[in-house]
């Protein structure tokens, strides 16, 4: 029996010793890749404290593909970074916010992009591999993702466990160890314009159901309220910006007005400027969109210009930069 | 708790250490520990059905003693049939009720009558077909005076519930397992190491091959309309490897785990895809179930004695029942029937007992004839697996129509090329390693004696790495649904 346990120990020991360094190496190379809407480049900037921005754009994909930080920076002469997170609602946008404050100097202004789905909860951890290189011993990530189907506590505590069966991630990291030229990042300052034309996402959705009703999540609403309060306490200036859906897409969401009313309520409660472009002419031109919810490159450029214009008019903003 | 889960990776070492350190002074204590561990293991699946397992155990334990105590044959027969009826009743309710109700309604509708029989929203208790067959074999053996009833409830309960075999076999016999449970076990280094090796090999088969084959097979079977005939052939072949690696992988882990506790379980697979005819295939596939049906159904029906027609009838009965055991669907029955049709020519020609040894025994490569017969047999089994995997007979029919269409010559156009290629590579590794070790209990059985330690360990690390890196998306073991 002793001999058996000794041999088991000898066999397992190198695995235990090598697990942590292997995890570090794997994570290091994986961070240099650009899959999952290039979320790694944003996470890297956050965790390495390299955001270096006075203005941050928060939101989901409606921030990521629609608000061009470079244009804002050029016009307002401020450093801007877009933290739009593809596919995720406020629960994980808030995680990003917390990590920003933990590893970076606080921004002076947050442009909070809102859309119909911001306060709806999704059960799955979309693009879950985007968290892989940052997970080990990361309590914030563990707590924020605990209620999602995806990772188990052990994934955050034991090196390499979370890489089990992650063929794609491991292959990506392995390829990057080779002396080849890596692909350039697809996001610039966190933004990625979508050079796309109208597709049939909306008609496919309408074939599935007549109308879509947003299920507002009370926990997300509470968290959002808490976040706004926290920003006020920390003197972080906010503006709300409601992402303009294509006019036909607006009609597809049955309780859209209720959702916007809730945002307006928060706007009044905390005195936050609210830019709602829902009735803007750009929402009537399908050429500005690639689906019912997302503007393409042309639309994003128009929207950003409007946003810049409104920001320039905002009297309170001058105070926060002085 | 799946064998390929992290929970099991914690559970097994804890029980192992308690078994050999805390309770080794007494076999009784060891059995208590193993029974508690087995019930915990089962409760991790669904604690609600633990009561059913315990009831089934108590029923067979009690009726067996009553049979032994019976002074009159009528009395004995009563207890025997009571046990059989309740055991099969459970199976009938949980597994077959909805099938019979729906088939009854379908039958009436063919006659122009309409019936809406009540269907039950029942969940199939995991492992019910396996532990019921454990109990049945025990009760039948007692009735036939082959064994004496076990008076120690813990020992008997452990025979039924021993966690490595509880949910998907091998289906054990009281004559084989109970004596091992009653006797003190001594730790055997060689057996324990070989057990670990078999677990590793089983994990590799399940996690790397079966779960990745499932990606391809599921894509083709579930999206049949989108693929040409050539992809359907690939889908069927991948399903053949999926089901083999899934179930034989499970059996390897179960047998290897039992060996860690000093217990030898029945062998369940013996390189079935190297069979040279269907009769040989059935001597090598799910051996514990085939031999169960042979001993408790085929032989009592007369077996291969009597007229040719009687033999043919018996073959059909055993394969239909075997198909039905797998699930309440006509697809399984047709799968059984097909296998019966495949095997009958050899029964008639009395060649079904040929090929009792391994293929190309004592040689490195098979002869051309052997190779051709192995490929032919594999082709027949793949054909039958299509029915086994299909959702319905219509689905199977459409699947076969695609295979036998002109599109069989088209490009397969399977989307997941990377999975297809890596899995094909691992299937090739499997075939080569199994061919190399085909004379042994499992493919890696002789590695311990033939390979030097550094080579061996590098190989084990390689397998572990393949398991960690190439693990497919976690699939349930297929046989859990039976």
């Amino acid at each position: 029996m002793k001999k058996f346990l000794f041999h088991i120990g000898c066999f397992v020991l190198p695995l235990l010793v090598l697990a942590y360094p292997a995890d570090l190496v794997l994570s290091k190379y994986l961070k240099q890749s650009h899959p999952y809407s290039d979320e790694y480049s944003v996470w890297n900037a956050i965790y390495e404290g390299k955001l270096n921005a006075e203005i941050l754009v928060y939101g989901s994909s409606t921030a990521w593909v629609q608000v061009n930080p470079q244009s804002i920076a050029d016009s307002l002469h401020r450093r801007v970074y877009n933290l739009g997170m593809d596919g995720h609602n406020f629960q994980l946008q808030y995680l990003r916010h917390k990590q920003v404050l933990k590893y970076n100097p606080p921004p002076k202004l947050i442009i909070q992009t809102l859309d119909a789905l911001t306060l709806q909860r999704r059960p799955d951890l979309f693009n879950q591999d985007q968290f892989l290189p940052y997970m080990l011993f990361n309590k914030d990530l563990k707590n924020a993702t605990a209620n999602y189907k995806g990772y188990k506590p052990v994934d955050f505590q034991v090196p390499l466990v979370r890489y089990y069966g992650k063929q794609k991630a491991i292959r990506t990291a392995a390829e990057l160890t080779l002396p080849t030229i890596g692909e350039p990042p697809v996001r610039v300052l966190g933004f990625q314009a979508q050079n796309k034309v109208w597709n049939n996402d909306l008609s496919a959705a309408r074939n599935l159901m007549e109308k879509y009703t947003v299920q507002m999540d009370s926990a997300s609403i509470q968290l959002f309220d808490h976040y706004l309060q926290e920003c006020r306490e920390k003197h972080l200036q906010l503006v709300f910006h409601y992402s303009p859906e294509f006019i036909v897409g607006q009609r597809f969401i049955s309780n859209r007005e209720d959702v916007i009313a809730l945002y307006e309520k928060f706007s009044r409660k905390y005195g936050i400027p609210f830019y709602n472009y829902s009735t803007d002419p750009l929402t009537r031109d399908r050429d500005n969109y690639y689906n019912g919810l997302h503007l393409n490159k042309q639309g994003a450029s128009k929207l950003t210009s409007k946003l810049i214009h409104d920001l320039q008019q905002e009297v309170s903003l001058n105070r926060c930069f002085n | 708790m799946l064998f390929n889960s992290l929970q099991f990776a914690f559970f097994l070492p804890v029980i192992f250490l308690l078994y050999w350190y805390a309770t080794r002074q007494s076999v009784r204590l060891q059995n208590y520990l193993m029974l508690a561990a087995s019930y915990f293991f089962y409760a991790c699946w669904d604690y609600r059905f633990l009561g059913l397992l315990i009831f089934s155990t108590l029923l067979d334990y009690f009726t067996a003693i009553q049979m032994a105590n019976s002074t009159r044959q009528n009395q004995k027969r009563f207890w025997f049939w009571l046990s059989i009826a309740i055991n099969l009743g459970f199976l009938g309710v949980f597994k077959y009720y909805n099938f019979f109700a729906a088939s009854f309604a379908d039958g009436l509708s063919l006659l122009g009558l309409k019936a809406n029989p009540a269907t039950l929203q029942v969940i199939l208790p995991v492992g019910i077909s396996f532990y019921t067959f454990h109990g049945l074999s025990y009760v039948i053996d007692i009735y036939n005076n082959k064994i004496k009833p076990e008076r120690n409830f813990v020992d008997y309960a452990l025979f039924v519930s021993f966690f490595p075999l509880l949910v998907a076999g091998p289906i054990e016999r009281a004559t084989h397992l109970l004596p091992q449970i009653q006797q003190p076990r001594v730790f055997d280094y060689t057996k324990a190491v070989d057990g670990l090796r078999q677990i590793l090999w089983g994990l590799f088969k399940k996690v790397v091959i079966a779960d990745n084959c499932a990606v391809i097979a599921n894509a083709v079977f579930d999206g049949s309309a989108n693929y040409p005939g050539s992809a359907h052939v690939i889908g069927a072949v991948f399903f053949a490897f999926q089901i083999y690696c899934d179930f034989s992988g499970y059996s390897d882990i179960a047998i290897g785990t039992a060996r860690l506790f000093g217990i030898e379980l029945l062998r369940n697979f013996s390189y079935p895809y190297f069979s040279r005819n269907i009769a040989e295939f059935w001597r090598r596939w799910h051996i514990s179930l085939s031999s169960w049906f042979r001993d408790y159904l085929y032989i009592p029906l007369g077996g291969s004695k009597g007229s040719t027609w009687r033999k043919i009838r018996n073959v059909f009965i055993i394969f239909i029942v075997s198909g039905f055991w797998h699930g309440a669907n006509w697809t399984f029955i047709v799968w059984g029937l097909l296998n019966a049709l495949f095997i009958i020519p050899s029964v008639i020609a009395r060649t079904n007992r040929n090929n009792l040894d391994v293929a190309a025994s004592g040689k490195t490569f098979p002869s051309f004839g052997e190779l051709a017969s192995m490929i032919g047999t594999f082709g027949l089994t793949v054909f039958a697996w299509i029915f086994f995997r299909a959702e319905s007979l219509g689905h199977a029919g459409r699947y076969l129509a695609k295979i036998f269409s002109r599109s069989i010559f088209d490009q397969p156009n399977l989307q997941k090329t990377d999975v297809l290629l890596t899995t094909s590579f691992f299937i090739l590794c499997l075939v080569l390693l199994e061919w190399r070790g085909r004379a042994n209990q499992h493919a890696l059985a002789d590695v311990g004696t033939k390979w030097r330690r550094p080579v061996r360990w590098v190989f084990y690390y390689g397998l572990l790495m393949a398991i960690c890196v190439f693990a497919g998306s976690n699939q349930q073991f297929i046989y859990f649904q039976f």
Side-chain angles (χ1 to χ4, degrees):
Chain A
M1 185 65 174
K2 278 181 187 161
K3 184 181 162 193
F4 179 76
L5 291 178
F6 175 73
H7 282 156
I8 293 283
C10 290
F11 184 78
V12 172
L13 192 65
L15 298 177
L16 295 178
V17 171
L18 288 174
Y20 184 65
D23 191 303
L24 289 182
V25 172
L26 200 54
S27 300
K28 182 192 156 200
Y29 282 103
L30 191 58
K31 282 176 189 174
Q32 295 170 16
S33 63
H34 311 289
Y36 321 115
S37 316
D38 198 12
E39 297 287 4
Y40 289 148
S41 67
V42 180
W43 286 116
N44 289 342
I46 294 173
Y47 284 116
E48 290 165 14
K50 290 180 180 168
L51 282 180
N52 188 29
E54 296 159 287
I55 301 175
L56 289 176
V57 182
Y58 286 4
S60 64
S61 54
T62 52
W64 159 50
V65 302
Q66 298 186 165
V67 183
N68 187 342
Q70 191 60 61
S71 303
I72 300 175
D74 294 343
S75 304
L76 299 186
H77 308 293
R78 301 286 168 191
R79 297 185 305 276
V80 189
Y81 202 101
N82 185 331
L83 295 175
M85 195 177 189
D86 188 20
H88 280 293
N89 316 120
F90 187 70
Q91 294 266 350
L92 286 180
Q93 293 170 26
Y94 183 68
L95 163 74
R96 261 199 181 164
H97 167 69
K98 296 295 281 183
Q99 303 294 276
V100 165
L101 296 188
K102 194 169 177 179
Y103 296 97
N104 296 270
K108 298 230 165 84
L109 172 68
I110 296 169
I111 301 171
Q112 177 68 55
T113 303
L114 300 166
D115 56 54
L117 307 176
T118 301
L119 297 177
Q120 178 173 279
R121 218 187 107 68
R122 65 181 298 166
D124 63 316
L125 201 52
F126 181 72
N127 272 350
Q128 66 171 3
D129 285 4
Q130 69 175 293
F131 304 108
L132 279 172
Y134 317 97
M135 280 170 62
L136 193 61
F137 310 133
N138 187 334
K139 278 187 186 167
D140 297 331
L141 251 175
K142 184 183 162 196
N143 294 336
T145 57
N147 294 324
Y148 288 86
K149 276 183 206 162
Y151 292 112
K152 294 185 281 293
V154 70
D155 293 322
F156 295 87
Q157 288 147 358
V158 184
L160 286 184
V161 168
R162 68 192 182 284
Y163 283 108
Y164 175 80
K166 299 279 184 189
Q167 273 183 62
K168 189 182 165 191
I170 295 168
R171 199 172 49 227
T172 305
E175 281 167 7
L176 285 166
T177 60
L178 302 172
T180 51
I181 302 161
E183 286 176 22
V186 290
R187 288 191 182 206
V188 178
L189 295 173
F191 168 71
Q192 188 188 5
Q194 303 291 307
N195 206 357
K196 295 177 180 174
V197 292
W198 181 257
N199 63 28
N200 65 350
D201 286 355
L202 181 61
S203 47
R206 289 168 80 191
N207 285 340
L208 279 176
M209 61 188 94
E210 200 182 326
K211 291 269 184 189
Y212 182 81
T213 305
V214 176
Q215 305 293 326
M216 302 290 268
D217 171 48
S218 58
S220 297
I221 294 171
Q222 261 182 354
L223 184 68
F224 191 62
D225 193 26
H226 168 76
Y227 155 71
L228 298 179
Q229 214 164 347
E230 196 180 69
C231 287
R232 181 152 73 180
E233 283 162 13
K234 289 182 177 165
H235 306 292
L236 299 175
Q237 174 79 43
L238 270 156
V239 295
F240 285 168
H241 143 243
Y242 188 82
S243 168
E245 305 99 339
F246 178 50
I247 193 72
V248 182
Q250 291 184 16
R251 291 183 207 125
F252 180 61
I253 301 166
S254 66
N255 56 343
R256 185 175 173 278
E257 297 306 321
D258 300 338
V259 176
I260 293 175
L262 183 67
Y263 296 145
E264 283 169 344
K265 198 176 124 192
F266 278 121
S267 159
R268 283 194 300 275
K269 183 178 173 185
Y270 290 98
I272 297 168
F274 184 22
Y275 309 142
N276 183 355
Y277 303 110
S278 301
T279 53
D280 190 274
L282 78 84
T283 62
R284 288 182 178 77
D285 185 357
R286 212 177 70 169
D287 290 347
N288 292 322
Y289 290 85
Y290 65 90
N291 65 25
L293 293 176
H294 297 99
L295 293 159
N296 58 20
K297 190 177 179 182
Q298 172 189 302
S301 171
K302 288 180 188 172
L303 177 74
T304 306
S305 300
K306 287 176 194 301
L307 193 58
I308 291 167
H309 175 262
D310 285 340
L311 287 171
Q312 282 168 333
Q313 303 300 310
E314 197 64 57
V315 181
S316 61
L317 293 189
N318 294 326
R319 283 202 304 272
C320 81
F321 288 114
N322 293 327
Chain B
M1 194 191 304
L2 289 167
F3 278 169
N4 52 333
S5 68
L6 215 54
Q7 294 103 301
F8 190 73
F10 284 107
F11 171 82
L12 183 60
V14 170
I15 300 300
F16 176 83
L17 290 174
L18 285 174
Y19 183 85
W20 290 115
Y21 278 102
T23 62
R24 72 172 163 179
Q25 287 82 3
S26 153
V27 68
R28 181 166 286 191
L29 271 178
Q30 282 184 324
N31 289 350
Y32 274 116
L33 171 74
M34 290 309 278
L35 183 62
S38 300
Y39 283 160
F40 174 78
F41 179 82
Y42 193 76
C44 287
W45 292 101
D46 195 331
Y47 65 91
R48 293 171 301 175
F49 294 122
L50 193 56
L52 187 69
L53 171 66
I54 294 170
F55 178 80
S56 171
T57 309
L58 276 167
L59 170 80
D60 296 330
Y61 171 76
F62 180 72
T63 50
I65 290 172
Q66 290 304 314
M67 273 193 281
N69 291 345
S70 299
T71 47
R72 287 175 296 142
Q73 188 61 22
N74 279 355
Q75 216 177 1
K76 188 177 179 181
R77 196 175 295 136
F78 167 77
W79 289 112
F80 171 70
W81 283 110
L82 180 73
S83 171
I84 299 286
I86 296 177
N87 272 309
L88 293 182
F90 277 137
L91 265 187
V93 170
F94 283 103
K95 198 166 172 177
Y96 300 109
Y97 173 79
N98 285 347
F99 170 77
F100 281 124
S103 299
F104 176 69
D106 290 346
L108 284 181
S109 70
L110 286 176
L111 299 171
L113 301 168
K114 203 175 175 185
N116 290 314
T119 50
L120 300 174
Q121 295 295 318
V122 283
I123 306 166
L124 185 66
V126 68
I128 190 169
S129 303
F130 291 91
Y131 67 71
T132 302
F133 269 46
H134 281 152
L136 285 176
S137 73
Y138 172 72
V139 170
I140 296 168
D141 283 351
I142 301 272
Y143 183 73
N144 291 331
N145 298 319
K146 283 188 183 168
I147 51 169
K148 292 209 163 85
E150 174 56 61
R151 304 263 169 186
N152 183 323
F153 177 72
V154 173
D155 287 4
Y156 176 72
L158 184 56
F159 156 69
V160 177
S161 319
F162 184 44
F163 74 84
L165 54 76
L166 178 56
V167 288
I171 300 169
E172 271 295 337
R173 307 294 182 81
T175 45
H176 181 248
L177 185 55
L178 261 175
Q180 296 186 70
I181 288 172
Q182 290 155 339
Q183 284 162 14
R185 273 88 66 181
V186 181
F187 182 78
D188 183 324
Y189 173 85
T190 313
K191 278 185 183 176
V193 170
D194 194 51
L196 281 181
R197 207 176 284 133
Q198 197 164 359
I199 291 172
L200 186 64
W201 183 236
L203 276 173
F204 173 79
K205 285 202 277 187
K206 161 66 184 161
V207 170
V208 179
I209 302 182
D211 288 353
N212 281 307
C213 280
V215 175
I216 304 295
N218 290 348
V220 181
F221 274 92
D222 297 343
S224 188
N226 308 323
Y227 296 103
S230 51
H232 283 64
V233 174
I234 294 172
V237 170
F238 270 64
F239 179 69
F241 280 103
Q242 181 198 346
I243 194 162
Y244 169 60
C245 289
D246 189 286
F247 193 23
S248 73
Y250 180 91
S251 298
D252 280 333
I253 301 168
I255 294 166
T257 303
R259 295 186 99 191
L260 290 176
F261 297 98
I263 286 177
E264 293 289 331
L265 297 182
L266 289 171
R267 196 178 181 187
N268 222 13
F269 288 87
S270 177
Y271 316 102
Y273 289 153
F274 297 145
S275 301
R276 288 149 290 180
N277 61 32
I278 290 289
E280 186 187 1
F281 175 83
W282 279 105
R283 282 195 299 274
R284 295 178 175 279
W285 180 275
H286 202 176
I287 300 166
S288 65
L289 180 71
S290 309
S291 59
W292 198 101
F293 280 124
R294 181 196 65 209
D295 295 346
Y296 298 109
L297 190 62
Y298 186 65
I299 291 172
L301 285 169
S304 53
K305 290 177 188 156
S307 69
T308 305
W309 286 114
R310 199 182 168 98
K311 277 187 234 170
I312 292 171
R313 183 204 68 177
N314 292 347
V315 168
F316 268 111
I317 288 173
I318 194 172
F319 275 102
I320 289 171
V321 173
S322 172
F324 203 49
W325 178 89
H326 282 87
N329 194 328
W330 287 104
T331 52
F332 293 117
I333 294 172
V334 171
W335 170 75
L337 271 171
L338 277 173
N339 277 288
L341 285 173
F342 295 156
I343 211 168
I344 275 174
S346 62
V347 172
I348 294 170
R350 295 172 188 267
T351 56
N352 56 322
R353 299 296 296 167
N354 290 358
N355 303 322
L356 293 175
D357 56 344
V358 291
S361 180
K363 293 184 285 181
T364 308
F365 298 108
S367 66
F368 180 76
E370 278 176 320
L371 186 65
S373 55
M374 280 190 279
I375 292 170
T377 307
F378 179 70
L380 289 176
T381 57
V382 169
F383 182 83
W385 286 134
I386 291 171
F387 287 86
F388 193 95
R389 171 62 179 79
E391 304 294 328
S392 62
L393 290 180
H395 183 203
R398 288 190 296 278
Y399 196 97
L400 286 169
K402 276 272 185 156
I403 288 182
F404 295 107
S405 70
R406 281 186 185 179
S407 66
I408 196 168
F409 300 109
D410 293 352
Q411 287 270 343
N413 285 333
L414 285 159
Q415 313 281 311
K416 303 168 195 285
T417 330
D418 52 340
V419 181
L420 185 74
L421 291 176
T422 48
T423 312
S424 301
F425 169 74
F426 286 121
I427 288 174
L428 182 68
C429 295
L430 168 94
V431 171
L432 292 175
L433 280 165
E434 293 225 318
W435 180 258
R436 191 200 140 274
R438 69 194 181 284
N440 304 314
Q441 283 284 317
H442 61 94
L444 306 185
D446 65 348
V447 162
T449 52
K450 289 194 174 166
W451 295 5
R452 293 166 62 87
R453 182 169 288 148
V455 180
R456 228 162 49 214
W457 281 30
V458 166
F459 176 69
Y460 299 152
Y461 283 129
L463 278 184
L464 262 181
M465 204 164 150
I467 289 168
C468 293
V469 175
F470 295 99
S473 52
N474 204 359
Q475 310 272 339
Q476 275 273 20
F477 285 92
I478 294 174
Y479 265 68
F480 284 4
Q481 63 186 296
F482 306 138

